[in-house]
Amino acid sequence: MEPHLEKIFFEMHTDLPREGPGDFESTKKAYQLLKDLPKQPLILDIGCGPGKQVLDLIKITDGKIIAVDNHQPYIDRLNVNAVSQGLQHRIQAQKGDMFKLQFAEHSFDVIWAEGSIYIIGFERGLQTFQPFLKKRGYLAVTEISWLKPNRPTDLTEFWDKEYPPMQSVENNLQIIQNSGLKLIGHFVLPEHAWMDDYYIPLEKRIDLYKAKFRDNPEILEFLAFNQLEIDLFRKYSDYFGSVFYVMQKI
Ligand SMILES: C[S@@+](CC[C@H](N)C(=O)[O-])C[C@H]1O[C@@H](n2cnc3c(N)ncnc32)[C@H](O)[C@@H]1O
């Protein structure tokens, strides 16, 4: 993304509840698939964003969460929220790059990545994150995935531009198997997990920015592309979705 559009992107996304699809019930459902965890597991959240899923996860675990993201304002926001909820001894957010994680290998009982593994790529992410897990540790990620074939052309064209490596669920399950991880379970997030805390608040921002930049065709085009993503989800959410993949290191 061009730096001036990236600036608009981050401005427009400031203080949105989430930066991708997700909801408490799905986070809980995925976490409940993890068995035989220590009483106080050490969890690494990668690409935590503003950290809604971290604040959800902390309610259902007695463990500690280290959360990393490369965007400092998200880190600051999560740390402020952790302090205001008296959770600073159990949540520690810090700046970090998922391509160059600065932790010792075999450090974590669980690695969590909601809506962020696509940045490094699903296959490469599984390979890159796995060494930081203890033996029998768990990796839980959400990844946008095709749910059925014979997809409409406008939908395929959009996602071919936006995220060309997007795979079908079957292909991702094969990638998991090839990565030497054991699949514990997988499920599709409900539609409201996209809408309630992500697309609906984002759509309101898009409308505000459309009015603010009504004389700037380049920004209007960028905003239209953002709106198109939401419109295509509304129209075609049976063709693609965000899928939770829960895996174990063996
Ligand atoms: C789609 S958002 C998801 C955020 C959050 N997990 C959620 O579900 O709301 C992806 C996040 O990855 C972060 N990110 C991008 N590149 C990164 C990198 N190289 N290392 C760590 N985080 C990165 C972004 O700043 C953003 O917060």
mmCIF file with all atom_site columns, all heavy atoms in Angstrom, residues 211-223:
data_model
loop_
_atom_site.group_PDB
_atom_site.id
_atom_site.type_symbol
_atom_site.label_atom_id
_atom_site.label_alt_id
_atom_site.label_comp_id
_atom_site.label_asym_id
_atom_site.label_entity_id
_atom_site.label_seq_id
_atom_site.pdbx_PDB_ins_code
_atom_site.Cartn_x
_atom_site.Cartn_y
_atom_site.Cartn_z
_atom_site.occupancy
_atom_site.B_iso_or_equiv
_atom_site.pdbx_formal_charge
_atom_site.auth_seq_id
_atom_site.auth_comp_id
_atom_site.auth_asym_id
_atom_site.auth_atom_id
_atom_site.pdbx_PDB_model_num
ATOM 1   N N   . ALA A 1 211 ? -17.193 11.253 2.688  1.00 0.00 ? 211 ALA A N   1
ATOM 2   C CA  . ALA A 1 211 ? -17.617 12.655 2.741  1.00 0.00 ? 211 ALA A CA  1
ATOM 3   C C   . ALA A 1 211 ? -16.397 13.570 2.909  1.00 0.00 ? 211 ALA A C   1
ATOM 4   O O   . ALA A 1 211 ? -16.271 14.588 2.216  1.00 0.00 ? 211 ALA A O   1
ATOM 5   C CB  . ALA A 1 211 ? -18.599 12.844 3.897  1.00 0.00 ? 211 ALA A CB  1
ATOM 6   N N   . LYS A 1 212 ? -15.478 13.158 3.779  1.00 0.00 ? 212 LYS A N   1
ATOM 7   C CA  . LYS A 1 212 ? -14.292 13.982 4.066  1.00 0.00 ? 212 LYS A CA  1
ATOM 8   C C   . LYS A 1 212 ? -13.409 14.152 2.818  1.00 0.00 ? 212 LYS A C   1
ATOM 9   O O   . LYS A 1 212 ? -12.838 15.207 2.605  1.00 0.00 ? 212 LYS A O   1
ATOM 10  C CB  . LYS A 1 212 ? -13.518 13.280 5.193  1.00 0.00 ? 212 LYS A CB  1
ATOM 11  C CG  . LYS A 1 212 ? -12.339 14.013 5.737  1.00 0.00 ? 212 LYS A CG  1
ATOM 12  C CD  . LYS A 1 212 ? -11.827 13.298 7.008  1.00 0.00 ? 212 LYS A CD  1
ATOM 13  C CE  . LYS A 1 212 ? -10.445 13.794 7.388  1.00 0.00 ? 212 LYS A CE  1
ATOM 14  N NZ  . LYS A 1 212 ? -9.847  13.007 8.454  1.00 0.00 ? 212 LYS A NZ  1
ATOM 15  N N   . PHE A 1 213 ? -13.300 13.091 1.998  1.00 0.00 ? 213 PHE A N   1
ATOM 16  C CA  . PHE A 1 213 ? -12.396 13.135 0.834  1.00 0.00 ? 213 PHE A CA  1
ATOM 17  C C   . PHE A 1 213 ? -13.165 13.144 -0.488 1.00 0.00 ? 213 PHE A C   1
ATOM 18  O O   . PHE A 1 213 ? -12.714 12.571 -1.468 1.00 0.00 ? 213 PHE A O   1
ATOM 19  C CB  . PHE A 1 213 ? -11.432 11.942 0.894  1.00 0.00 ? 213 PHE A CB  1
ATOM 20  C CG  . PHE A 1 213 ? -10.439 12.041 2.021  1.00 0.00 ? 213 PHE A CG  1
ATOM 21  C CD1 . PHE A 1 213 ? -10.612 11.310 3.189  1.00 0.00 ? 213 PHE A CD1 1
ATOM 22  C CD2 . PHE A 1 213 ? -9.346  12.889 1.930  1.00 0.00 ? 213 PHE A CD2 1
ATOM 23  C CE1 . PHE A 1 213 ? -9.703  11.412 4.236  1.00 0.00 ? 213 PHE A CE1 1
ATOM 24  C CE2 . PHE A 1 213 ? -8.430  13.003 2.971  1.00 0.00 ? 213 PHE A CE2 1
ATOM 25  C CZ  . PHE A 1 213 ? -8.613  12.264 4.130  1.00 0.00 ? 213 PHE A CZ  1
ATOM 26  N N   . ARG A 1 214 ? -14.330 13.790 -0.477 1.00 0.00 ? 214 ARG A N   1
ATOM 27  C CA  . ARG A 1 214 ? -15.188 13.711 -1.671 1.00 0.00 ? 214 ARG A CA  1
ATOM 28  C C   . ARG A 1 214 ? -14.532 14.308 -2.918 1.00 0.00 ? 214 ARG A C   1
ATOM 29  O O   . ARG A 1 214 ? -14.927 13.993 -4.030 1.00 0.00 ? 214 ARG A O   1
ATOM 30  C CB  . ARG A 1 214 ? -16.560 14.336 -1.416 1.00 0.00 ? 214 ARG A CB  1
ATOM 31  C CG  . ARG A 1 214 ? -16.527 15.786 -1.070 1.00 0.00 ? 214 ARG A CG  1
ATOM 32  C CD  . ARG A 1 214 ? -17.937 16.306 -0.797 1.00 0.00 ? 214 ARG A CD  1
ATOM 33  N NE  . ARG A 1 214 ? -17.889 17.646 -0.259 1.00 0.00 ? 214 ARG A NE  1
ATOM 34  C CZ  . ARG A 1 214 ? -17.759 17.936 1.028  1.00 0.00 ? 214 ARG A CZ  1
ATOM 35  N NH1 . ARG A 1 214 ? -17.698 16.981 1.923  1.00 0.00 ? 214 ARG A NH1 1
ATOM 36  N NH2 . ARG A 1 214 ? -17.682 19.192 1.430  1.00 0.00 ? 214 ARG A NH2 1
ATOM 37  N N   . ASP A 1 215 ? -13.491 15.157 -2.736 1.00 0.00 ? 215 ASP A N   1
ATOM 38  C CA  . ASP A 1 215 ? -12.817 15.753 -3.903 1.00 0.00 ? 215 ASP A CA  1
ATOM 39  C C   . ASP A 1 215 ? -11.507 15.052 -4.250 1.00 0.00 ? 215 ASP A C   1
ATOM 40  O O   . ASP A 1 215 ? -10.727 15.570 -5.045 1.00 0.00 ? 215 ASP A O   1
ATOM 41  C CB  . ASP A 1 215 ? -12.533 17.244 -3.638 1.00 0.00 ? 215 ASP A CB  1
ATOM 42  C CG  . ASP A 1 215 ? -13.829 18.007 -3.409 1.00 0.00 ? 215 ASP A CG  1
ATOM 43  O OD1 . ASP A 1 215 ? -14.839 17.650 -4.057 1.00 0.00 ? 215 ASP A OD1 1
ATOM 44  O OD2 . ASP A 1 215 ? -13.847 18.909 -2.546 1.00 0.00 ? 215 ASP A OD2 1
ATOM 45  N N   . ASN A 1 216 ? -11.259 13.904 -3.639 1.00 0.00 ? 216 ASN A N   1
ATOM 46  C CA  . ASN A 1 216 ? -9.983  13.221 -3.870 1.00 0.00 ? 216 ASN A CA  1
ATOM 47  C C   . ASN A 1 216 ? -10.243 11.849 -4.516 1.00 0.00 ? 216 ASN A C   1
ATOM 48  O O   . ASN A 1 216 ? -10.511 10.860 -3.820 1.00 0.00 ? 216 ASN A O   1
ATOM 49  C CB  . ASN A 1 216 ? -9.240  13.065 -2.531 1.00 0.00 ? 216 ASN A CB  1
ATOM 50  C CG  . ASN A 1 216 ? -7.850  12.495 -2.722 1.00 0.00 ? 216 ASN A CG  1
ATOM 51  O OD1 . ASN A 1 216 ? -7.616  11.658 -3.600 1.00 0.00 ? 216 ASN A OD1 1
ATOM 52  N ND2 . ASN A 1 216 ? -6.924  12.948 -1.911 1.00 0.00 ? 216 ASN A ND2 1
ATOM 53  N N   . PRO A 1 217 ? -10.174 11.775 -5.861 1.00 0.00 ? 217 PRO A N   1
ATOM 54  C CA  . PRO A 1 217 ? -10.548 10.534 -6.548 1.00 0.00 ? 217 PRO A CA  1
ATOM 55  C C   . PRO A 1 217 ? -9.716  9.330  -6.119 1.00 0.00 ? 217 PRO A C   1
ATOM 56  O O   . PRO A 1 217 ? -10.236 8.217  -6.024 1.00 0.00 ? 217 PRO A O   1
ATOM 57  C CB  . PRO A 1 217 ? -10.290 10.844 -8.035 1.00 0.00 ? 217 PRO A CB  1
ATOM 58  C CG  . PRO A 1 217 ? -10.050 12.303 -8.131 1.00 0.00 ? 217 PRO A CG  1
ATOM 59  C CD  . PRO A 1 217 ? -9.761  12.838 -6.777 1.00 0.00 ? 217 PRO A CD  1
ATOM 60  N N   . GLU A 1 218 ? -8.434  9.542  -5.802 1.00 0.00 ? 218 GLU A N   1
ATOM 61  C CA  . GLU A 1 218 ? -7.583  8.403  -5.430 1.00 0.00 ? 218 GLU A CA  1
ATOM 62  C C   . GLU A 1 218 ? -8.064  7.789  -4.106 1.00 0.00 ? 218 GLU A C   1
ATOM 63  O O   . GLU A 1 218 ? -8.181  6.570  -3.973 1.00 0.00 ? 218 GLU A O   1
ATOM 64  C CB  . GLU A 1 218 ? -6.131  8.866  -5.311 1.00 0.00 ? 218 GLU A CB  1
ATOM 65  C CG  . GLU A 1 218 ? -5.184  7.688  -5.224 1.00 0.00 ? 218 GLU A CG  1
ATOM 66  C CD  . GLU A 1 218 ? -3.799  8.091  -4.753 1.00 0.00 ? 218 GLU A CD  1
ATOM 67  O OE1 . GLU A 1 218 ? -3.616  9.245  -4.332 1.00 0.00 ? 218 GLU A OE1 1
ATOM 68  O OE2 . GLU A 1 218 ? -2.912  7.225  -4.805 1.00 0.00 ? 218 GLU A OE2 1
ATOM 69  N N   . ILE A 1 219 ? -8.364  8.644  -3.149 1.00 0.00 ? 219 ILE A N   1
ATOM 70  C CA  . ILE A 1 219 ? -8.830  8.138  -1.851 1.00 0.00 ? 219 ILE A CA  1
ATOM 71  C C   . ILE A 1 219 ? -10.236 7.546  -1.991 1.00 0.00 ? 219 ILE A C   1
ATOM 72  O O   . ILE A 1 219 ? -10.551 6.514  -1.394 1.00 0.00 ? 219 ILE A O   1
ATOM 73  C CB  . ILE A 1 219 ? -8.747  9.234  -0.760 1.00 0.00 ? 219 ILE A CB  1
ATOM 74  C CG1 . ILE A 1 219 ? -7.264  9.560  -0.535 1.00 0.00 ? 219 ILE A CG1 1
ATOM 75  C CG2 . ILE A 1 219 ? -9.406  8.784  0.535  1.00 0.00 ? 219 ILE A CG2 1
ATOM 76  C CD1 . ILE A 1 219 ? -6.993  10.662 0.439  1.00 0.00 ? 219 ILE A CD1 1
ATOM 77  N N   . LEU A 1 220 ? -11.052 8.164  -2.826 1.00 0.00 ? 220 LEU A N   1
ATOM 78  C CA  . LEU A 1 220 ? -12.410 7.624  -3.050 1.00 0.00 ? 220 LEU A CA  1
ATOM 79  C C   . LEU A 1 220 ? -12.335 6.220  -3.663 1.00 0.00 ? 220 LEU A C   1
ATOM 80  O O   . LEU A 1 220 ? -13.110 5.329  -3.295 1.00 0.00 ? 220 LEU A O   1
ATOM 81  C CB  . LEU A 1 220 ? -13.215 8.551  -3.947 1.00 0.00 ? 220 LEU A CB  1
ATOM 82  C CG  . LEU A 1 220 ? -13.691 9.849  -3.294 1.00 0.00 ? 220 LEU A CG  1
ATOM 83  C CD1 . LEU A 1 220 ? -14.423 10.726 -4.308 1.00 0.00 ? 220 LEU A CD1 1
ATOM 84  C CD2 . LEU A 1 220 ? -14.584 9.589  -2.079 1.00 0.00 ? 220 LEU A CD2 1
ATOM 85  N N   . GLU A 1 221 ? -11.360 6.016  -4.544 1.00 0.00 ? 221 GLU A N   1
ATOM 86  C CA  . GLU A 1 221 ? -11.199 4.690  -5.163 1.00 0.00 ? 221 GLU A CA  1
ATOM 87  C C   . GLU A 1 221 ? -10.772 3.657  -4.112 1.00 0.00 ? 221 GLU A C   1
ATOM 88  O O   . GLU A 1 221 ? -11.273 2.537  -4.057 1.00 0.00 ? 221 GLU A O   1
ATOM 89  C CB  . GLU A 1 221 ? -10.144 4.794  -6.278 1.00 0.00 ? 221 GLU A CB  1
ATOM 90  C CG  . GLU A 1 221 ? -10.128 3.566  -7.165 1.00 0.00 ? 221 GLU A CG  1
ATOM 91  C CD  . GLU A 1 221 ? -8.932  3.552  -8.119 1.00 0.00 ? 221 GLU A CD  1
ATOM 92  O OE1 . GLU A 1 221 ? -8.425  4.646  -8.452 1.00 0.00 ? 221 GLU A OE1 1
ATOM 93  O OE2 . GLU A 1 221 ? -8.498  2.466  -8.493 1.00 0.00 ? 221 GLU A OE2 1
ATOM 94  N N   . PHE A 1 222 ? -9.848  4.080  -3.238 1.00 0.00 ? 222 PHE A N   1
ATOM 95  C CA  . PHE A 1 222 ? -9.385  3.221  -2.143 1.00 0.00 ? 222 PHE A CA  1
ATOM 96  C C   . PHE A 1 222 ? -10.568 2.864  -1.220 1.00 0.00 ? 222 PHE A C   1
ATOM 97  O O   . PHE A 1 222 ? -10.746 1.710  -0.816 1.00 0.00 ? 222 PHE A O   1
ATOM 98  C CB  . PHE A 1 222 ? -8.279  3.972  -1.377 1.00 0.00 ? 222 PHE A CB  1
ATOM 99  C CG  . PHE A 1 222 ? -7.901  3.375  -0.064 1.00 0.00 ? 222 PHE A CG  1
ATOM 100 C CD1 . PHE A 1 222 ? -7.131  2.220  -0.012 1.00 0.00 ? 222 PHE A CD1 1
ATOM 101 C CD2 . PHE A 1 222 ? -8.297  3.967  1.135  1.00 0.00 ? 222 PHE A CD2 1
ATOM 102 C CE1 . PHE A 1 222 ? -6.774  1.662  1.206  1.00 0.00 ? 222 PHE A CE1 1
ATOM 103 C CE2 . PHE A 1 222 ? -7.942  3.406  2.350  1.00 0.00 ? 222 PHE A CE2 1
ATOM 104 C CZ  . PHE A 1 222 ? -7.179  2.260  2.391  1.00 0.00 ? 222 PHE A CZ  1
ATOM 105 N N   . LEU A 1 223 ? -11.406 3.851  -0.922 1.00 0.00 ? 223 LEU A N   1
ATOM 106 C CA  . LEU A 1 223 ? -12.563 3.613  -0.042 1.00 0.00 ? 223 LEU A CA  1
ATOM 107 C C   . LEU A 1 223 ? -13.585 2.690  -0.712 1.00 0.00 ? 223 LEU A C   1
ATOM 108 O O   . LEU A 1 223 ? -14.171 1.823  -0.066 1.00 0.00 ? 223 LEU A O   1
ATOM 109 C CB  . LEU A 1 223 ? -13.219 4.948  0.337  1.00 0.00 ? 223 LEU A CB  1
ATOM 110 C CG  . LEU A 1 223 ? -12.355 5.896  1.176  1.00 0.00 ? 223 LEU A CG  1
ATOM 111 C CD1 . LEU A 1 223 ? -13.015 7.263  1.292  1.00 0.00 ? 223 LEU A CD1 1
ATOM 112 C CD2 . LEU A 1 223 ? -12.095 5.321  2.567  1.00 0.00 ? 223 LEU A CD2 1
#
